Amino acid sequence: MYKSVLIVFFVSLLSGCGNDSTVKESSTPSPDTTLVSDSILIERYFAWQDSIEYTDDDDNYYKNTIRDHEKIRDTILITYYAQQLADSLRKRTGLTLSLEEWAKYLHTIDLNGDNQLDLIYEGQSGGEPFLTEFFLIDTLGIKKIFSGYQVVTKMNFKEAKLSSFSIINPGCCTDPAIVEYFYTIKFDSSKVSLTLVNTLGYLNRLEKPTQKLSAPVAFTLKKISKLRCEAASFDGFENPVWGNEGNSISLYSIGSKGIVYGSKRYQDEEWLYVSMNPESKPVNSEFPQFLEQPTQLYGWIRKEDTDLYPD
């Protein structure tokens, strides 16, 4: 028995021996070893994703909101307006379309309650995002009052006037970052006042909380902490979908504030489903669009990083 064990030992020893350079190379991680480690992390991440429930990613932001509010569609009138706007649209988008093609992106809605149909353009921008523009029409002609990228998701009217609306930017290609912009608008005689009142940011695949709080709770970070798209820490590898660091969204400093809506326990850690206050700007983010302006970001924070965790 001992003899066979010794034979196995020496065979394994000899098979692992070589010249000095071979021994030195094996003592340091090779690129292949790093690749295997990344693969293991990615496999763990995919396994984790299969075990949880995510928010719906069904492109439900394309709701034809503007078309739903278009009560009258006079194709002759719209073609006339398309002719008036064609030159300026060509310059802004770089596109050369026929009047019929421009017209299909135009919609007639009374925006300021003067019983005169106004115009909204929601269509091609010359790039991937859509372009949305509002125009008022009166005896003086056509006046643009708003311009923004992507599509309108909500329109609210008060006393026959548009009072607020929201636009959603779902990102492009494989970018999972979604930004929603909420505006209020006021019409005072010939003056129009537009105010961006809030901006929401989140990923199109964000883990749903398993437990929801009966009432939201405010918190403050007592540690530097990462806002993540799932209730777990996955760092040290390139995300296989969007190419950034692990499952991190943004990094927040001590003193940053937010609101808790739900929670989940993963292994020995308690995680909180939160929205971070827009005033608490991230130190950095894997998604630059979340840093462009104060944005209310949604995601997961470790409870032990907050003042809700007992000392």
Side-chain angles (χ1 to χ4, degrees), residues 205-219:
R205 278 178 61 79
L206 195 63
E207 182 184 355
K208 290 182 179 179
T210 54
Q211 297 178 2
K212 295 184 179 179
L213 302 186
S214 57
V217 176
F219 72 91

Side-chain angles (χ1 to χ4, degrees), residues 73-274:
R73 186 167 179 82
D74 187 329
T75 54
I76 296 176
L77 184 64
I78 289 174
T79 302
Y80 168 76
Y81 288 144
Q83 186 175 20
Q84 304 299 306
L85 292 171
D87 286 343
S88 61
L89 286 172
R90 286 192 197 103
K91 290 178 182 178
R92 288 200 297 283
T93 65
L95 299 172
T96 301
L97 304 179
S98 66
L99 290 182
E100 290 77 14
E101 289 175 312
W102 287 124
K104 73 180 182 180
Y105 298 125
L106 289 171
H107 304 276
T108 49
I109 300 173
D110 182 6
L111 298 175
N112 59 352
D114 64 353
N115 295 316
Q116 168 73 53
L117 288 176
D118 301 303
L119 277 178
I120 297 179
Y121 174 85
E122 186 183 74
Q124 295 190 50
S125 67
E128 184 165 346
F130 269 32
L131 175 67
T132 296
E133 296 187 330
F134 293 174
F135 301 89
L136 290 183
I137 297 177
D138 56 24
T139 55
L140 299 177
I142 302 175
K143 178 184 178 182
K144 183 169 64 176
I145 60 170
F146 173 80
S147 182
Y149 284 104
Q150 296 298 8
V151 296
V152 174
T153 50
K154 292 181 182 178
M155 297 179 72
N156 299 306
F157 288 82
K158 186 176 181 179
E159 298 178 352
K161 298 179 182 180
L162 181 65
S163 58
S164 64
F165 64 95
S166 61
I167 285 185
I168 193 166
N169 186 343
C172 62
C173 305
T174 59
D175 187 352
I178 296 175
V179 186
E180 292 188 65
Y181 305 91
F182 295 83
Y183 293 88
T184 58
I185 182 168
K186 294 181 180 180
F187 300 94
D188 183 11
S189 62
S190 60
K191 184 180 179 181
V192 180
S193 300
L194 267 163
T195 304
L196 177 62
V197 293
N198 195 22
T199 305
L200 300 182
Y202 51 94
L203 301 189
N204 61 13
R205 278 178 61 79
L206 195 63
E207 182 184 355
K208 290 182 179 179
T210 54
Q211 297 178 2
K212 295 184 179 179
L213 302 186
S214 57
V217 176
F219 72 91
T220 301
L221 287 180
K222 61 182 183 181
K223 299 179 182 178
I224 296 174
S225 185
K226 285 185 178 181
L227 182 73
R228 301 178 183 274
C229 54
E230 295 114 353
S233 298
F234 284 96
D235 288 328
F237 72 98
E238 184 179 276
N239 189 287
V241 179
W242 54 78
N244 294 330
E245 168 69 20
N247 67 339
S248 173
I249 299 175
S250 298
L251 180 68
Y252 283 88
S253 60
I254 297 172
S256 297
K257 298 180 182 297
I259 302 293
V260 182
Y261 300 99
S263 65
K264 179 184 178 180
R265 178 171 287 278
Y266 175 58
Q267 295 179 346
D268 294 329
E269 289 187 316
E270 188 78 17
W271 288 82
L272 305 177
Y273 179 73
V274 307

